[in-house]
Amino acid sequence: MSTSVPQKALSKIATNRLHKELKEWENNPPAGFKHRPTDNLQRWIIEVSGAPGTLYANEQFQLQVDFPEHYPMEAPQVIFIHNPPFHPHVYSNGHICLDILYDSWSPAMTVSSICISILSMLSSSTVKMRPPDNDRYVRNCRNGRSPKDTRWWFHDDKV
Amino acid sequence: MGNKFARRRAQIDDRYTRPQGLYQHKDVDHKKLRRLIIDAKLAPCYPGAEDAAIDLDECPICFLHYPSLNRSKCCTKGICTECFLQVKSPNSTRPTQCPFCKTPNYAVEYLGAKTLEEKGVEQAEEQKVIEAKIRIRRQQEIQDEEARLQRQEQAPREGSPIVAVAAGEAEQETTTTPEERSQEPALPLERSWDPWTNADGNTAIGYPQTDIFTYPSRSDSESPWQQGGQRDSNRHNTFSSTSARNSSSFNARRRGAAWSNSSSGDGPGYAPYNRDEDFDLDLEDIMVMEAIWLSIQEQGNQRPIDSISEHPFPSALNGLQYEIQDSPLTNLEPSEIRGRRGSVTGGFASAIAALAERQVTGNTGGMEPAGESDAESNDSGAVSNAHGSSETQSLEEHIRIVSGTDESLTEEKTEKSSVEESGVEAAAMALTTLRATGSNTNTSMTSTNTSNNNENLTRWIRRGMSVEASPDALLDQGSEVVEAGTSFCSSVPSLLPWEAPEEDDPGNGGGAASAAATGTNGSNPGGAAALLQPGAVAANDSAASTASVVPESFEEQMMLAMALSLAEAQALQAKHGGSKAT
């Protein structure tokens, strides 16, 4: 589990935006998600409940969202912690192969929209398995590399 | 008001012609920026306010509030000048995508502050969204509760709820209300629930809302076209907008605009929404249909029945609203399909049947060239573009004769004509959207943009069931509709149960896609864009694929069955195209 992110303090604009996102979340949390309140605005821990009727129904997962200094111009780092779901796009170290977290990030996205995308990704899964290259990838990430440093190849457009 | 001020050159304080320090801008040409601001090409760099106020707009990126924002040319979303400078880095080598809709070559324009009118509309929308959200939540609670009770009640009575549709429904039918029936899918539906599937790889967004296509309770629907209307249409509306909001759908403004159009049209415009849910037929009618259904079964017409029973309830349908798709063109399909479908109880079924009929009589196994189907529409003296509608009409006649559901259908027809107007408006709206995206068939087109489309179209179809009723209006709208209509035609046969057995697995988008693709092979490989759309639809939203064909309610199954039997009967009589002439 790569939890160490070289963190620079959030910029003013990032702080401001995250405060607002958090407030909005509290008023209107995305369905199936629960933000675990902490003092740390820069790292959110979010509980995910598998959507009913999907392979992950009644399962709980935890997402860790780390925000870079220049959020939202820069994407947050989002990984599963503890027991990542068995999913073809989720590596056993919690890294998630999902384009919006990397190349396709847009500053108009929010934590909330990320969460929904992730739940969507889970829900569309038809088989519970690790990515085929899981072992190799995880080995390469042993030094706590951030998934944001990975060059992802987004091959599955059915997510 | 604000407009004028913003437009007048000298009005802008020099302080606001340079960034306020929100970001550490690199590479910004301050002179150029100043000139752009003074020329009112970009919004002034007012210091953003923390809190919302009536006369301020929120920048969706920094979440600060400004008197006026720039708007993206592609999707009219607002952005403050400083965020824009960040997003659109001047030295970037590749063209910037719009952060909201992903259109390449992001560019903004400055139109001054929003007028009071615009703001009023927006606020009204927001209010409605909030209200509808509450309703959805409440509705779902009720629904969950009912579903649970239903399950408890039914568990001992019948084994498999799936089988019940084909066989068990008959006995049950007399005792259940439409509302109860709508609960039945709860089990199989949940199992196959997969609202998020899409083919895009982008953010597929869904929200497992099961209540959207269920029927209002009996008491609710006593006079379905008057009461339910407003409320239900709101519910649909919200739905789109909630998902929009949640879904990294950046296109909110445009969607909002379309949405506000539809929600501002009061009165009869709402009526068609109800069609989705109000099949509140008399018991008598139901029994007649039942009899027909059973007789069909006896005839050994196994294939369609099988496939129906295998996925009796297209849970998938629900996904249709929020599915996200690759090519904007694909969007035509589900909505188009839905259009026909949502129109009348039998509208969809009969449209399918019409196609099925042709398949049986003429084009067994082959595809219907789009042109031909159009021509046929013409022949039957209906509208040139509304292919489905002419046939639908004629089939409706048949259905009416056979089933004796004269009354209900007549009622629906009246209803249809009453909503003509809104249909026109809605159709125009949808067309605009089509055009807008038509130029952007790029795959990089964002999920949201297209989903937006989808919603618009869906909305259009829903309220504009009047497509059928107001063909004249559509005639004016030119070729897009024709295109939509015809590609719909081509798509349907491929999705017919006996053509695409693989499609039986609603959870498997890929399978459905391939099924659809197989189905389309016969015709026009060059027209892949149009013809493969069913495939795309299927893949994007396995839900949509099944949904588009499989009747979602018992009534629809009835209608479909009837229509099919009619078609077969006609085929047997070897009267080629007999029904089309009527």
Side-chain angles (χ1 to χ4, degrees):
Chain A
M1 238 114 316
S2 96
T3 47
S4 62
V5 185
Q7 283 195 348
K8 269 192 163 180
L10 293 171
S11 67
K12 195 177 136 228
I13 189 82
T15 310
N16 185 61
R17 197 181 124 140
L18 281 173
H19 273 301
K20 288 189 173 168
E21 277 196 52
L22 192 54
K23 209 158 143 200
E24 169 67 16
W25 178 297
E26 280 160 3
N27 292 332
N28 183 22
F33 294 91
K34 206 165 157 279
H35 173 251
R36 214 171 61 192
T38 58
D39 289 339
N40 189 355
L41 191 64
Q42 199 162 3
R43 171 172 289 179
W44 292 23
I45 306 291
I46 295 167
E47 284 168 17
V48 193
S49 308
T54 69
L55 290 180
Y56 305 92
N58 303 319
E59 289 184 58
Q60 298 271 337
F61 308 104
Q62 280 194 1
L63 285 171
Q64 175 181 285
V65 187
D66 285 294
F67 299 94
E69 178 189 4
H70 295 296
Y71 178 81
M73 290 304 156
E74 218 178 286
Q77 176 198 288
V78 185
I79 56 172
F80 280 103
I81 51 172
H82 305 313
N83 295 305
F86 278 86
H87 184 283
H89 301 327
V90 180
Y91 290 86
S92 55
N93 60 1
H95 292 195
I96 306 165
C97 178
L98 182 63
D99 60 352
I100 57 150
L101 299 179
Y102 315 106
D103 304 11
S104 299
W105 167 256
S106 147
M109 294 181 190
T110 62
V111 184
S112 187
S113 70
I114 293 174
C115 285
I116 292 168
S117 296
I118 289 175
L119 187 56
S120 156
M121 181 193 79
L122 288 183
S123 301
S124 65
S125 171
T126 54
V127 55
K128 279 188 171 184
M129 60 173 279
R130 291 279 178 232
D133 60 340
N134 183 67
D135 291 350
R136 188 171 48 84
Y137 176 76
V138 172
R139 237 186 351 259
N140 288 337
C141 291
R142 256 182 316 201
N143 49 0
R145 193 168 75 166
S146 163
K148 288 174 74 183
D149 300 332
T150 302
R151 274 186 60 191
W152 294 96
W153 179 50
F154 304 105
H155 57 285
D156 182 1
D157 56 0
K158 280 195 273 308
V159 171
Chain B
M1 195 172 73
N3 217 337
K4 264 187 219 153
F5 279 126
R7 285 256 170 231
R8 232 184 282 159
R9 290 182 165 218
Q11 288 294 330
I12 299 153
D13 193 310
D14 204 44
R15 272 179 298 171
Y16 304 136
T17 58
R18 48 178 181 261
Q20 303 295 300
L22 201 56
Y23 301 97
Q24 289 173 337
H25 296 281
K26 285 177 237 154
D27 309 324
V28 170
D29 182 340
H30 288 273
K31 264 190 197 160
K32 198 173 165 191
L33 176 66
R34 184 167 179 273
R35 202 172 57 243
L36 285 171
I37 291 175
I38 288 175
D39 290 349
K41 295 272 190 338
L42 279 179
C45 295
Y46 294 119
E50 289 290 331
D51 297 312
I54 182 89
D55 53 343
L56 298 179
D57 283 336
E58 188 183 67
C59 168
I61 290 183
C62 62
F63 286 19
L64 294 174
H65 300 81
Y66 299 88
S68 58
L69 294 175
N70 308 291
R71 315 217 184 156
S72 46
K73 284 182 176 164
C74 41
C75 60
T76 72
K77 272 293 253 179
I79 186 171
C80 72
T81 297
E82 287 188 74
C83 286
F84 174 71
L85 292 174
Q86 281 289 304
V87 172
K88 178 124 182 164
S89 163
N91 292 339
S92 171
T93 44
R94 50 176 194 175
T96 314
Q97 283 186 340
C98 169
F100 305 103
C101 71
K102 301 263 179 187
T103 302
N105 296 315
Y106 177 48
V108 296
E109 57 194 347
Y110 180 56
L111 305 170
K114 267 189 233 158
T115 63
L116 281 178
E117 252 171 88
E118 283 175 299
K119 278 181 186 160
V121 169
E122 265 172 26
Q123 275 182 334
E125 280 169 25
E126 272 163 29
Q127 185 58 34
K128 277 185 185 145
V129 171
I130 293 165
E131 283 169 12
K133 261 188 208 165
I134 295 167
R135 267 195 303 274
I136 287 173
R137 210 164 286 175
R138 207 182 298 145
Q139 184 83 12
Q140 208 183 11
E141 277 164 20
I142 295 168
Q143 214 95 35
D144 289 348
E145 182 67 17
E146 279 172 355
R148 223 189 49 231
L149 290 174
Q150 192 78 16
R151 235 172 284 157
Q152 283 172 353
E153 206 176 283
Q154 285 188 352
R157 261 205 294 163
E158 39 182 277
S160 156
I162 299 176
V163 178
V165 176
E169 192 84 9
E171 306 111 58
Q172 226 183 32
E173 197 40 40
T174 44
T175 55
T176 54
T177 67
E179 178 228 9
E180 279 169 332
R181 234 175 290 123
S182 76
Q183 297 298 332
E184 278 171 9
L187 290 172
L189 185 145
E190 267 173 29
R191 209 174 304 139
S192 62
W193 180 265
D194 196 5
W196 290 285
T197 317
N198 73 19
D200 198 337
N202 276 325
T203 57
I205 304 310
Y207 179 63
Q209 197 78 35
T210 46
D211 66 342
I212 219 167
F213 289 105
T214 52
Y215 308 92
S217 70
R218 190 97 187 170
S219 60
D220 239 340
S221 55
E222 288 299 333
S223 60
W225 284 291
Q226 284 119 46
Q227 285 180 356
Q230 192 96 355
R231 193 202 58 213
D232 292 326
S233 65
N234 276 342
R235 200 166 75 203
H236 292 304
N237 276 339
T238 336
F239 213 74
S240 347
S241 23
T242 0
S243 66
R245 174 175 262 244
N246 285 343
S247 69
S248 54
S249 295
F250 320 114
N251 227 353
R253 177 142 315 154
R254 164 168 287 194
R255 170 175 302 142
W259 180 61
S260 76
N261 279 345
S262 65
S263 56
S264 61
D266 260 15
Y270 280 117
Y273 279 105
N274 296 323
R275 298 262 167 65
D276 281 341
E277 28 221 315
D278 295 317
F279 302 116
D280 195 7
L281 301 180
D282 289 340
L283 194 60
E284 229 179 324
D285 297 339
I286 293 171
M287 290 174 78
V288 171
M289 289 194 287
E290 213 177 294
I292 295 168
W293 175 258
L294 290 171
S295 81
I296 291 165
Q297 280 183 303
E298 274 166 22
Q299 278 173 20
N301 187 0
Q302 279 305 321
R303 285 172 306 174
I305 291 168
D306 279 348
S307 68
I308 285 166
S309 66
E310 268 167 46
H311 41 179
F313 294 99
S315 59
L317 233 205
N318 297 346
L320 200 102
Q321 278 211 335
Y322 2 101
E323 85 223 47
I324 282 149
Q325 294 174 350
D326 220 343
S327 151
L329 279 176
T330 41
N331 293 318
L332 284 177
E333 300 320 301
S335 345
E336 199 48 41
I337 287 163
R338 174 197 288 274
R340 304 267 139 67
R341 199 169 126 284
S343 61
V344 196
T345 321
F348 170 72
S350 46
I352 290 189
L355 290 155
E357 175 196 8
R358 261 181 307 177
Q359 197 123 18
V360 173
T361 55
N363 303 311
T364 338
M367 288 289 307
E368 188 73 24
E372 190 188 329
S373 39
D374 256 16
E376 273 171 22
S377 302
N378 281 330
D379 287 347
S380 56
V383 229
S384 66
N385 57 19
H387 161 86
S389 68
S390 59
E391 305 219 341
T392 306
Q393 300 278 357
S394 69
L395 265 144
E396 259 169 35
E397 305 275 331
H398 285 293
I399 291 162
R400 200 189 305 177
I401 293 158
V402 174
S403 68
T405 52
D406 224 343
E407 262 180 38
S408 59
L409 280 169
T410 322
E411 208 177 326
E412 276 161 356
K413 290 214 161 149
T414 327
E415 198 55 35
K416 276 196 279 177
S417 45
S418 76
V419 298
E420 218 174 285
E421 217 179 279
S422 76
V424 180
E425 179 202 332
M429 199 167 80
L431 283 167
T432 321
T433 329
L434 279 180
R435 277 196 205 105
T437 46
S439 55
N440 273 318
T441 43
N442 204 315
T443 21
S444 67
M445 202 53 205
T446 106
S447 36
T448 41
N449 204 13
T450 53
S451 77
N452 180 20
N453 250 335
N454 234 350
E455 278 165 20
N456 284 340
L457 279 166
T458 310
R459 209 175 299 130
W460 160 45
I461 293 317
R462 280 252 204 64
R463 57 201 291 273
M465 287 332 53
S466 37
V467 170
E468 288 180 22
S470 56
D472 297 342
L474 283 171
L475 264 180
D476 300 334
Q477 301 292 342
S479 59
E480 274 112 324
V481 170
V482 178
E483 210 175 283
T486 53
S487 51
F488 167 66
C489 298
S490 8
S491 70
V492 168
S494 73
L495 288 172
L496 286 172
W498 49 92
E499 287 266 311
E502 300 101 302
E503 185 218 1
D504 283 344
D505 175 12
N508 184 347
S514 68
T518 328
T520 40
N521 275 346
S523 63
N524 179 5
L531 292 174
L532 284 177
Q533 276 159 32
V537 172
N540 287 347
D541 187 333
S542 58
S545 78
T546 33
S548 52
V549 216
V550 184
E552 68 181 312
S553 74
F554 180 74
E555 282 88 343
E556 278 200 2
Q557 282 170 20
M558 284 299 178
M559 296 304 255
L560 177 59
M562 279 192 300
L564 288 172
S565 77
L566 279 166
E568 278 212 350
Q570 248 147 12
L572 286 173
Q573 284 169 9
K575 287 286 169 205
H576 195 87
S579 78
K580 274 174 268 161
T582 26

